[in-house]
Amino acid sequence: TFCDPALDMTMTSIHVPEGVMSLSIKPKNTADNDTFSKALNRFMFEDPTLRVEVDDETGETIISGMGELHLDIYCQRLEREYSCPVDVGRPKVAYRETLTQRSEFNYLHKKQSGGSGQYGRVIGYMEPLDEDAKEPYVFANEMIGNAIPPEFVPAVEKGLKEALVE
């Protein structure tokens, strides 16, 4: 809308609602990945109600929109306008495991690569932390004596941290 420049008027921004339906989408041919991403970028530019994101945990491309018909139209447009047929499905759910009770472990590591080999035993337990814990885990060295040199303890903690991420 045009008006007198002396008037100080601004328009409020448009409210774009969140998508009500989401689908997992990927090109049928991996050679079409470039075309697929260009088309989705164009569609997002044209339609602010269409959202596209890649799920970090599952690696899937997820499109969200205002309903099944809305998303179906974009899938058809990909094939018709960009010659990029797509596979559509429900988004995968990334399941996570967590501790619910104390669990003890006793692991013997053996590595024989000629010579005397390497051996190591780790004995311990894992248990859930309180809900209000600030750290995701607590490593407590309760070793008695110096059977293991103290400079190796940080490496043990690092190995535990890496195992917890997996």
Side-chain angles (χ1 to χ4, degrees), residues 96-107:
R96 295 188 179 149
E97 295 181 30
T98 188
L99 289 171
T100 58
Q101 61 188 5
R102 180 180 167 128
S103 175
E104 297 188 8
F105 57 87
N106 183 346
Y107 178 73

Side-chain angles (χ1 to χ4, degrees), residues 54-164:
V54 176
D55 189 326
D56 293 333
E57 295 177 355
T58 62
E60 290 182 311
T61 302
I62 308 293
I63 58 173
S64 302
M66 296 293 104
E68 187 175 356
L69 181 62
H70 183 225
L71 298 177
D72 193 39
I73 288 170
Y74 283 109
C75 293
Q76 291 172 4
R77 282 185 66 190
L78 275 164
E79 189 166 357
R80 188 177 61 245
E81 295 176 22
Y82 292 91
S83 300
C84 180
V86 293
D87 287 328
V88 178
R90 281 195 223 152
K92 291 180 184 170
V93 175
Y95 293 101
R96 295 188 179 149
E97 295 181 30
T98 188
L99 289 171
T100 58
Q101 61 188 5
R102 180 180 167 128
S103 175
E104 297 188 8
F105 57 87
N106 183 346
Y107 178 73
L108 176 63
H109 173 77
K110 298 179 196 176
K111 186 172 184 181
Q112 192 74 34
S113 57
S116 62
Q118 298 175 348
Y119 297 93
R121 179 176 297 276
V122 179
I123 301 171
Y125 63 90
M126 297 176 80
E127 61 187 358
L129 293 174
D130 294 330
E131 293 289 326
D132 57 343
K134 292 183 172 113
E135 297 292 325
Y137 75 97
V138 174
F139 178 80
N141 179 7
E142 296 178 2
M143 190 172 54
I144 300 170
N146 280 338
I148 298 175
E151 58 267 13
F152 290 135
V153 174
V156 173
E157 182 177 4
K158 181 181 176 188
L160 176 70
K161 185 176 182 179
E162 289 174 1
L164 289 174

